[in-house]
Amino acid sequence: MKFFSSSHLAYLLLPFTVIAGVQAVVNDVKQVAIIGAGAAGSSTAYHLRKYAEEEGANVNITIFEKTSHIGGRTLTVDVYDDPLNPVELGASIFVEVNHILYGASKEFNLPLKNPGADEDGLLGIWDGTKFVYIQDSKSWGWWNIAKLLWKYGSAPYYTHRLVQETVATFLKLYEAPYFPFRSLSTRAYELGLVGTTGSTGEQFLEANKLNGPFAHDIVQASTRVNYASNLAYIHGLGTMVAMAPEGAMAVAGGNWQIFSRMVEKSQAYVSLNSTVSSIDKEKSGEGSDATKYKIQTLTTDSVDTEGETHPVAFDTVVIATPYQFSGISHNDNVIPHPVDSIPYVKLHVTLFASPFRFSPAFFNLEPASEVPISVLTTLGPNDKAKSGPEGVGSAGFFSATLVKVVTNPKTQNTEYVYKIFSPDKVTPKFLSRLLGVQVPDTFTRSSSVSIDGDEGWTIVDPISWYHPTVFHPYPQKLPRVTFQDPILGDGLYYTSGIESFISTMETSALMGKNVARLIADDFFQAAQTVNFVDEMGEL
């Protein structure tokens, strides 16, 4: 992996350069641009390099990334700016059945860990008024737990079985004859998944006679924490995937390392802080009908509005970022048909550190009651299922979880790092209620709260560290039966169409792998055609 700025482009020009009087051979070198270094873009680069090496093909890969990091929405934040205390801000987990991520983590010898909190405690489902379910974390699982069976009957078992059947069908996309695919809509139909994506989670569970208290309490809590959606506003496949975290794991230090290593392995040239502003077509040479793509870029956050034309023309371009957020301009001949624009969820992710635990009073519990350290939410008895921010209901948030126990570097006292998912910005008033202590309007300003330590009374901050972020992490998974195809034009590919089908790190990586296979097949087929024509001309 090589990083460069606009002043370090000589590497890319090597295939076109005469060195020591020897003309470089360029005809068999394919130039590929990938826009976005998230899960999909990194996977595209990684798998394209593998396929090219298998076929003995020459490929130069260039990645343009508008941010300063690789991994896209997969990133960590260092608590107290201490790199020894990273916390996942975006995508937090993957599972063993995620073949690409799990396989890559093993290939790169990345250390894996249980993504749970640093300490044991209760996990609860709260409806805004009361906890409808509480489970000790030591024996926690969505199924095969006596308490679940006692409360919900056989629904946990049959829901688990339905999840396994649905996921098993989806996993066929990894293998021939379903892989690779030029049309996701066609594959969804062939696999019989359009019935699942074409109905709401509520309807899908009802059709399987599973839309009862377990669906309302447990399944809906899962769709809310994973996709910020109630069962009436998420399709059936999204519902099943939200319930499939069996064997969850994470890379110690951050899942972004998987994608960083993929990019490194791809030998791609990487341009960080580089926003692609436009894509145009040009003839590849006089007398040729073939076209190449010219890309213009801007330095991210630069006041300069004039894009700089990249000196290398590309045979293939992969847009590995949601098109509607890319800001890429182009002529109609570049993308002849509209790219599907889908609504994305706006999610507030709030991380903060505090010496205080969740207050029993916030959850209407008796004083001194043990409060769950991980709280998921569902709709209350008087809440109506809605989409968007109003869908959060009386709970007011989707989840609030203790994710890490740390030592405050200033006080040397133990503190707790919490993560909250919510549709709106978390306020000091909300945190004051949640912690049972007055939080200042500035969140981290010192207050007059005191605790009785070993050496007497000590002044402490209710919140010692605070990091809010706003994401558009995934689309609203409303029911649908057609999906944006990965081919936008001749030599132009797109990865984000899979996100309305299902949106995870793994599925983005799968689409990246799929696009890489399509590119490789198109390259090799074209090369075989040229060789055949040449041979015929010699006869």
Side-chain angles (χ1 to χ4, degrees):
M1 176 173 59
K2 302 176 180 66
F3 295 91
F4 66 88
S5 64
S6 59
S7 61
H8 295 86
L9 294 169
Y11 290 113
L12 290 179
L13 301 177
L14 286 177
F16 300 88
T17 304
V18 177
I19 302 177
V22 179
Q23 175 67 49
V25 178
V26 302
N27 292 334
D28 62 345
V29 177
K30 294 295 185 180
Q31 298 286 348
V32 178
I34 299 174
I35 303 172
S42 302
S43 177
T44 302
Y46 169 72
H47 287 100
L48 181 57
R49 176 61 63 193
K50 289 183 69 173
Y51 294 143
E53 290 179 349
E54 289 171 2
E55 299 290 340
N58 295 319
V59 177
N60 281 347
I61 303 172
T62 303
I63 298 177
F64 299 95
E65 168 55 46
K66 68 179 181 180
T67 71
S68 61
H69 69 274
I70 291 171
R73 289 163 284 181
T74 307
L75 70 161
T76 58
V77 175
D78 296 332
V79 182
Y80 302 124
D81 296 323
D82 181 359
L84 297 179
N85 283 316
V87 175
E88 291 283 0
L89 185 62
S92 300
I93 65 169
F94 57 96
V95 295
E96 191 168 340
V97 75
N98 293 158
H99 301 313
I100 296 174
L101 299 189
Y102 182 70
S105 68
K106 291 298 184 182
E107 177 185 348
F108 302 141
N109 295 315
L110 295 173
L112 301 178
K113 67 171 187 175
N114 185 323
D118 287 349
E119 64 176 48
D120 295 325
L122 300 179
L123 299 131
I125 312 295
W126 192 57
D127 70 359
T129 302
K130 64 182 182 303
F131 281 104
V132 297
Y133 187 81
I134 292 179
Q135 174 69 48
D136 189 295
S137 65
K138 291 181 180 179
S139 56
W140 179 257
W142 290 118
W143 43 79
N144 199 28
I145 296 174
K147 188 174 181 180
L148 278 172
L149 297 175
W150 175 80
K151 183 175 177 64
Y152 298 110
S154 61
Y157 169 77
Y158 286 107
T159 301
H160 179 218
R161 193 167 77 174
L162 182 61
V163 169
Q164 289 183 314
E165 292 171 355
T166 305
V167 171
T169 300
F170 164 77
L171 289 176
K172 293 179 181 179
L173 275 175
Y174 287 74
E175 304 291 342
Y178 301 105
F179 179 89
F181 47 91
R182 294 180 177 270
S183 171
L184 181 56
S185 301
T186 299
R187 285 293 187 264
Y189 176 80
E190 292 171 343
L191 289 170
L193 288 173
V194 291
T196 311
T197 64
S199 59
T200 67
E202 198 171 65
Q203 293 168 338
F204 184 65
L205 291 169
E206 180 66 37
N208 287 275
K209 298 181 173 55
L210 293 170
N211 190 30
F214 182 75
H216 174 274
D217 295 352
I218 307 299
V219 181
Q220 187 160 254
S222 186
T223 61
R224 285 162 65 92
V225 69
N226 284 290
Y227 294 116
S229 297
N230 295 309
L231 284 175
Y233 292 93
I234 182 173
H235 59 57
L237 183 58
T239 301
M240 294 294 96
V241 170
M243 283 292 293
E246 193 170 20
M249 64 189 77
V251 175
N255 294 324
W256 60 269
Q257 295 171 90
I258 295 176
F259 307 114
S260 180
R261 293 296 297 275
M262 280 184 168
V263 171
E264 180 182 353
K265 196 77 171 178
S266 76
Q267 303 172 39
Y269 296 97
V270 183
S271 182
L272 299 178
N273 297 307
S274 183
T275 298
V276 172
S277 57
S278 69
I279 304 174
D280 291 304
K281 273 186 176 181
E282 65 172 19
K283 292 287 186 180
S284 60
E286 291 186 12
S288 173
D289 292 330
T291 58
K292 288 182 178 288
Y293 292 96
K294 294 293 289 185
I295 284 178
Q296 282 195 328
T297 63
L298 294 168
T299 301
T300 302
D301 298 328
S302 171
V303 295
D304 186 7
T305 59
E306 290 294 326
E308 179 180 354
T309 301
H310 196 73
V312 175
F314 295 97
D315 299 284
T316 297
V317 174
V318 180
I319 301 176
T321 188
Y323 173 79
Q324 65 204 69
F325 299 135
S326 69
I328 298 173
S329 64
H330 56 82
N331 295 325
D332 291 341
N333 69 329
V334 175
I335 303 179
H337 303 290
V339 180
D340 190 15
S341 180
I342 52 180
Y344 272 68
V345 170
K346 182 179 179 180
L347 185 70
H348 289 258
V349 181
T350 305
L351 292 169
F352 66 94
S354 173
F356 296 96
R357 299 280 195 161
F358 292 156
S359 168
F362 180 91
F363 297 101
N364 301 319
L365 298 174
E366 293 293 327
S369 297
E370 184 179 4
V371 180
I373 63 171
S374 183
V375 179
L376 309 186
T377 66
T378 188
L379 294 175
N382 297 319
D383 292 333
K384 292 184 179 180
K386 297 179 181 179
S387 64
E390 293 182 345
V392 72
S394 56
F397 61 95
F398 297 118
S399 66
T401 306
L402 189 160
V403 294
K404 197 174 188 67
V405 179
V406 297
T407 299
N408 186 319
K410 292 182 179 179
T411 67
Q412 296 302 307
N413 291 326
T414 296
E415 297 204 6
Y416 311 101
V417 179
Y418 299 99
K419 180 192 289 187
I420 297 177
F421 290 163
S422 60
D424 298 306
K425 182 179 179 179
V426 167
T427 65
K429 181 179 179 180
F430 171 83
L431 291 179
S432 296
R433 293 179 53 236
L434 181 64
L435 298 175
V437 62
Q438 187 63 42
V439 173
D441 292 340
T442 53
F443 290 99
T444 57
R445 187 186 66 199
S446 297
S447 73
S448 58
V449 177
S450 301
I451 58 174
D452 189 6
D454 294 338
E455 299 179 1
W457 290 88
T458 305
I459 304 297
V460 299
D461 293 333
I463 295 179
S464 60
W465 177 80
Y466 172 72
H467 187 96
T469 303
V470 180
F471 270 131
H472 292 94
Y474 35 70
Q476 295 178 15
K477 289 178 175 43
L478 301 173
R480 57 185 298 162
V481 296
T482 60
F483 306 91
Q484 174 67 54
D485 288 335
I487 301 176
L488 299 181
D490 186 19
L492 186 63
Y493 300 83
Y494 184 58
T495 63
S496 294
I498 199 170
E499 293 208 37
S500 57
F501 181 68
I502 199 63
S503 179
T504 65
M505 290 187 291
E506 174 71 11
T507 48
S508 291
L510 171 62
M511 183 55 91
K513 180 179 180 180
N514 179 68
V515 164
R517 184 70 263 176
L518 295 179
I519 293 171
D521 289 348
D522 289 347
F523 280 171
F524 306 146
Q525 182 178 4
Q528 290 170 359
T529 300
V530 170
N531 291 337
F532 176 76
V533 171
D534 289 343
E535 291 171 1
M536 293 296 293
E538 294 174 358
L539 296 177

